[in-house]
Amino acid sequence: MKHRISAIFLGTALALVAGGALAQDKTVKVGVLTDNSGLYSDLGGAGSTLAAQMAIEDSGLAAKGWKVDLISADHQNKPDIATTIARQWIDVEKIDVLMDVLNSGVALAVNNVVKEKNSVMINSGAASSDLTNAQCTPNTVHWTYDTYMLAHSTGAALVKAGGDTWYFLTADYAFGAALERDTTAVVLASGGKVIGGVKHPLNSSDFSSFLLQAQASKAKIIGMANAGGDTTNTIKQAAEFGIVAGGQKLAGLLLFISDVHSLGLNVAQGLNLSATFYWDMNDQTRAFSKRFSDRMKTKAMPTMVQAGVYSGLLHYFKALEALGGNPHDGAKEVAKMKELPTDDALFGKGSIQPNGRALHPAYLFEVKKPSESKGPWDYYKLIGTTPGDQAFRPLSESACPLLKK
Amino acid sequence: MQALYAQLLVGLINGSFYALLSLGLAVIFGMLNIINFAHGAVYMMGAFVAYFLLNLTGLGYWWALLIAPIVVGIFGMILERTMLQWLTGLDHLYGLLLTFGMALIIQGVFQNYFGSSGLPYAIPDELKGGMNLGFMFLPIYRGWVVIFSLIVCIATWYLIERTRLGAYLRAATENPTLVRAFGVNVPRMITLTYGLGVGLAALAGVLSAPINQVRPLMGADLIIVVFAVVVIGGMGSIMGSIITGFALGVIEGLTKYFYPEASNTVVFVLMVLVLLVKPTGLTGRAA
């Protein structure tokens, strides 16, 4: 027994020495773990992998003698599959950083693996604000958006505009629960009331039952705490059942541009939504999006999730360069990321909080009327901006254990 | 109480889709002895054909109701001629695996080109709007779906159980050699039957296009439930699958009202119960 223990110590010591020697190591392996085939594959999926590819190309690391590898896998929205892939990637493939990891249920599961293995996750697609709250780790950066931001930007604006009674249609898993909880807090704080709600299974195709219940509740706002295909089907069927015509308003708490594109402006017009990225914001976002769209098989413009993969990965590369090489030490790399201010073409200037939350401005949009749109993908009107330091949960309210030292 | 009526009606609407799809499955299983796992994929193709007709040729919903089942039916018949016919007489498992594989390929191809969020398809102008029934607002289109599927279901049942052609068909399933001896071209009849079953699925696809998004995975989401419906109704029983389709739609609708979280499992719980009590399904006969 004693021998074995000392052998382990020896092994560890050797590894540490080797780690030190490898500080000049200029190899990085990037793994994009996303939904490549299911209901979220349009908002992440192949587009997330393409965004990572573009970040690698645009980083210019290859010219500086770095060798960057990229692989991607489909987690099928199943936490068990995702954690198996993550373990294999980190242990066998020696992946340094996991990108995207959309779906909150999946993200929270992978979050633990990444911490246990001291790797890095830069999460773009998952919504749950728990990733930087109670579940925060020194190895995770949550880049693009979260439920707290969505609730505050969309929720507060709607209550202010007179929508003071709410009914929730919630996807029955971690994400829906987090979004409903965060939005409820905002509605109550702004003086509104939540008068009911219904939880539906993920990936439902028929929402008429739930919509009838929402209609019967007479709430002014029907908050859709779901995403992807669930949201588009809800909106389409709500129009059919005369819900909007009857004076109730739908609130898309998480709506992506891919959803709006799929619905068409006839159905989607007038909806409010919040996002941290839209392709048509300025010359830089337009240039990136044009390049992105040209390389997509579906010719789609990037969603904020895909844009987040690009920006998050670029920032990660900056941290590696600042470290002078890849230390293969997740916590150290993330600490460097937090130390450096963020600044990129898509999300602008910002920073990363000690709990891993990346800060940048949040935008409140309204979907254009068909007559206002100049063509495909010209969908949003900007109606409000929240600065980065106010858009996300303040550190004083955060339950992140990293903050209590 | 009013809410309950509304939920019953909504359940009936969903039941129409279950009935149309399980009817096609029952026809194919009853006549060809094939468990057609590609049924969801052809349902999806029906919706996509409707979308293409509208956007490429300008032919609207009513034409789609006619053309999509024919186009997809022909596609099905090609599949039957080139692949499925070689499985006659083999174990069910082979047909199941082949059609399951085909479903994955078809869905994959569509997803590759059209993504996962789907394409919009509007309700035809003639069926827009709704009426207030007092206890609920019924979109006219939904009412149309229920009535139209009922008619199609009953017509199919009549064709197979009450006409001479149907009698040939049933005889050909019982004893193909004997029927062939009477000069009936049995293989061609089998091909046409597969085409009919597939066409019914495509018809359901067209009906659902204005309600749901036209998505590559729309069939995959539905097909497992529909299989449960067929198992509950009794494999191969035409009337059984129609009635079970509507009934399960209603039961699922009620679950959505009383305990929404269980709404996507209730059908399977029922399936387990039925299999425990009556393994051949509610209307099935022992083989």
Side-chain angles (χ1 to χ4, degrees):
Chain A
M1 194 64 200
K2 236 180 193 164
H3 283 292
R4 189 174 295 168
I5 290 176
S6 47
I8 291 173
F9 272 118
L10 184 65
T12 320
L14 280 175
L16 284 175
V17 172
L22 283 172
Q24 291 307 311
D25 183 359
K26 292 198 167 182
T27 58
V28 196
K29 273 193 141 182
V30 179
V32 179
L33 186 56
T34 185
D35 173 5
N36 274 332
S37 56
L39 78 168
Y40 298 147
S41 57
D42 272 359
L43 60 95
S48 287
T49 309
L50 172 61
Q53 179 66 41
M54 290 173 72
I56 293 170
E57 291 161 11
D58 294 355
S59 70
L61 283 184
K64 294 175 197 155
W66 287 73
K67 184 176 173 311
V68 188
D69 284 328
L70 173 69
I71 58 174
S72 106
D74 185 1
H75 62 44
Q76 300 172 36
N77 292 310
K78 296 190 176 115
D80 52 335
I81 292 182
T83 47
T84 309
I85 296 174
R87 277 177 206 282
Q88 201 215 332
W89 272 7
I90 298 169
D91 289 341
V92 183
E93 311 270 347
K94 306 292 174 206
I95 290 287
D96 293 294
V97 56
L98 280 81
M99 299 302 302
D100 195 358
V101 202
L102 57 73
N103 182 321
S104 296
V106 167
L108 289 167
V110 171
N111 194 36
N112 291 327
V113 177
V114 167
K115 183 188 177 194
E116 174 197 320
K117 307 265 180 201
N118 192 25
S119 187
V120 179
M121 167 162 79
I122 303 174
N123 194 301
S124 183
S128 175
S129 63
D130 291 349
L131 280 173
T132 54
N133 200 24
Q135 304 285 326
C136 77
T137 80
N139 302 76
T140 294
V141 171
H142 198 183
W143 191 269
T144 310
Y145 70 103
D146 65 22
T147 49
Y148 184 95
M149 175 286 267
L150 296 169
H152 279 254
S153 179
T154 318
L158 288 171
V159 178
K160 210 179 285 173
D164 53 1
T165 49
W166 283 61
Y167 187 93
F168 283 103
L169 285 183
T170 306
D172 193 12
Y173 74 107
F175 149 70
L179 189 48
E180 181 182 334
R181 178 197 64 210
D182 289 350
T183 314
T184 302
V186 174
V187 169
L188 296 180
S190 327
K193 253 194 333 201
V194 174
I195 55 177
V198 57
K199 287 193 175 11
H200 68 76
L202 174 65
N203 215 353
S204 298
S205 59
D206 181 71
F207 287 86
S208 41
S209 272
F210 309 126
L211 286 166
L212 285 177
Q213 295 174 47
Q215 198 169 29
S217 77
K218 305 254 189 306
K220 285 185 194 159
I221 304 279
I222 298 171
M224 296 180 288
N226 51 19
D230 282 341
T231 310
T232 48
N233 274 336
T234 312
I235 295 172
K236 196 165 172 180
Q237 293 170 14
E240 204 191 334
F241 277 89
I243 285 192
V244 178
Q248 286 174 302
K249 198 169 163 64
L250 287 175
L253 295 171
L254 178 51
L255 204 56
F256 295 95
I257 192 156
S258 49
D259 301 328
V260 174
H261 181 70
S262 140
L263 280 167
L265 290 181
N266 272 324
V267 179
Q269 58 179 310
L271 282 169
N272 289 121
L273 62 106
S274 296
T276 50
F277 170 84
Y278 173 50
W279 69 271
D280 196 10
M281 296 290 291
N282 55 50
D283 288 341
Q284 287 177 308
T285 57
R286 278 188 285 271
F288 168 79
S289 305
K290 173 89 177 49
R291 282 196 295 138
F292 178 92
S293 163
D294 286 344
R295 289 171 69 171
M296 278 296 278
K297 192 166 275 144
T298 53
K299 300 293 161 211
M301 286 294 179
T303 62
M304 66 169 162
V305 170
Q306 292 153 351
V309 169
Y310 174 85
S311 293
L313 192 54
L314 275 184
H315 188 67
Y316 173 76
F317 289 149
K318 266 185 215 163
L320 284 189
E321 279 193 90
L323 287 166
N326 188 349
H328 298 288
D329 175 346
K332 195 169 166 190
E333 292 154 31
V334 170
K336 196 70 185 174
M337 287 178 76
K338 291 174 184 170
E339 203 180 298
L340 298 171
T342 65
D343 184 8
D344 66 81
L346 307 187
F347 289 82
K349 288 188 197 312
S351 62
I352 300 174
Q353 287 183 323
N355 58 2
R357 177 68 255 166
L359 302 180
H360 28 245
Y363 309 104
L364 183 65
F365 293 106
E366 187 178 302
V367 178
K368 289 183 174 176
K369 293 189 186 72
S371 58
E372 295 168 326
S373 167
K374 289 195 276 291
W377 302 102
D378 178 23
Y379 295 148
Y380 293 174
K381 261 189 313 215
L382 181 66
I383 54 176
T385 304
T386 317
D389 52 346
Q390 292 163 34
F392 293 92
R393 179 185 279 119
L395 286 179
S396 59
E397 286 176 29
S398 179
C400 171
L402 291 178
L403 302 171
K404 301 184 185 83
K405 275 194 180 146
Chain B
M1 201 60 214
Q2 289 204 335
L4 203 60
Y5 286 136
Q7 296 300 336
L8 282 173
L9 193 57
V10 164
L12 214 54
I13 298 164
N14 283 328
S16 325
F17 289 107
Y18 293 160
L20 269 183
L21 284 169
S22 58
L23 175 63
L25 276 180
V27 168
I28 292 173
F29 182 78
M31 307 297 148
L32 282 78
N33 250 339
I34 280 175
I35 301 173
N36 187 29
F37 243 91
H39 219 63
V42 289
Y43 161 78
M44 174 270 289
M45 284 176 74
F48 267 94
V49 170
Y51 176 83
F52 292 135
L53 282 175
L54 183 68
N55 289 287
L56 300 181
T57 65
L59 292 175
Y61 178 78
W62 303 104
W63 282 108
L65 272 185
L66 182 70
I67 297 173
I70 295 174
V71 172
V72 180
I74 291 172
F75 174 79
M77 287 191 261
I78 295 172
L79 286 187
E80 201 277 334
R81 281 283 87 188
T82 52
M83 292 185 234
L84 282 171
Q85 64 151 328
W86 308 111
L87 302 180
T88 326
L90 291 179
D91 192 81
H92 289 318
L93 205 54
Y94 291 92
L96 187 149
L97 286 175
L98 178 70
T99 50
F100 185 54
M102 289 189 317
L104 291 181
I105 293 170
I106 296 170
Q107 278 162 8
V109 167
F110 275 83
Q111 202 167 15
N112 191 35
Y113 289 101
F114 304 102
S116 65
S117 8
L119 307 157
Y121 192 89
I123 295 175
D125 287 337
E126 296 86 350
L127 299 173
K128 274 200 175 123
M131 41 193 166
N132 201 337
L133 301 181
F135 61 90
M136 78 174 285
F137 178 91
L138 176 71
I140 290 174
Y141 186 78
R142 301 258 175 168
W144 153 255
V145 166
V146 176
I147 293 164
F148 185 75
S149 6
L150 258 181
I151 295 172
V152 172
C153 284
I154 290 171
T156 313
W157 171 81
Y158 187 84
L159 177 75
I160 289 175
E161 301 283 346
R162 290 288 180 271
T163 62
R164 180 168 284 266
L165 179 69
Y168 283 150
L169 253 178
R170 282 176 289 134
T173 343
E174 289 280 315
N175 193 337
T177 327
L178 195 64
V179 175
R180 203 175 290 176
F182 284 120
V184 177
N185 187 342
V186 172
R188 188 200 289 159
M189 208 151 72
I190 297 283
T191 308
L192 286 174
T193 310
Y194 189 74
L196 170 75
V198 164
L200 281 172
L203 187 68
V206 180
L207 279 179
S208 104
I211 297 181
N212 299 304
Q213 290 289 93
V214 179
R215 289 182 303 131
L217 293 180
M218 62 193 285
D221 299 343
L222 205 58
I223 193 67
I224 304 294
V225 180
V226 173
F227 265 102
V229 171
V230 174
V231 170
I232 294 173
M235 292 296 286
S237 154
I238 308 285
M239 205 35 142
S241 62
I242 299 174
I243 295 173
T244 330
F246 279 102
L248 284 181
V250 170
I251 292 174
E252 199 188 52
L254 291 178
T255 318
K256 280 180 181 165
Y257 182 68
F258 289 111
Y259 188 52
E261 288 90 337
S263 57
N264 61 348
T265 34
V266 63
V267 171
F268 303 104
V269 174
L270 280 174
M271 181 179 85
V272 170
L273 291 178
V274 167
L275 285 180
L276 283 176
V277 178
K278 203 164 179 295
T280 50
L282 291 176
T283 59
R285 294 173 299 261

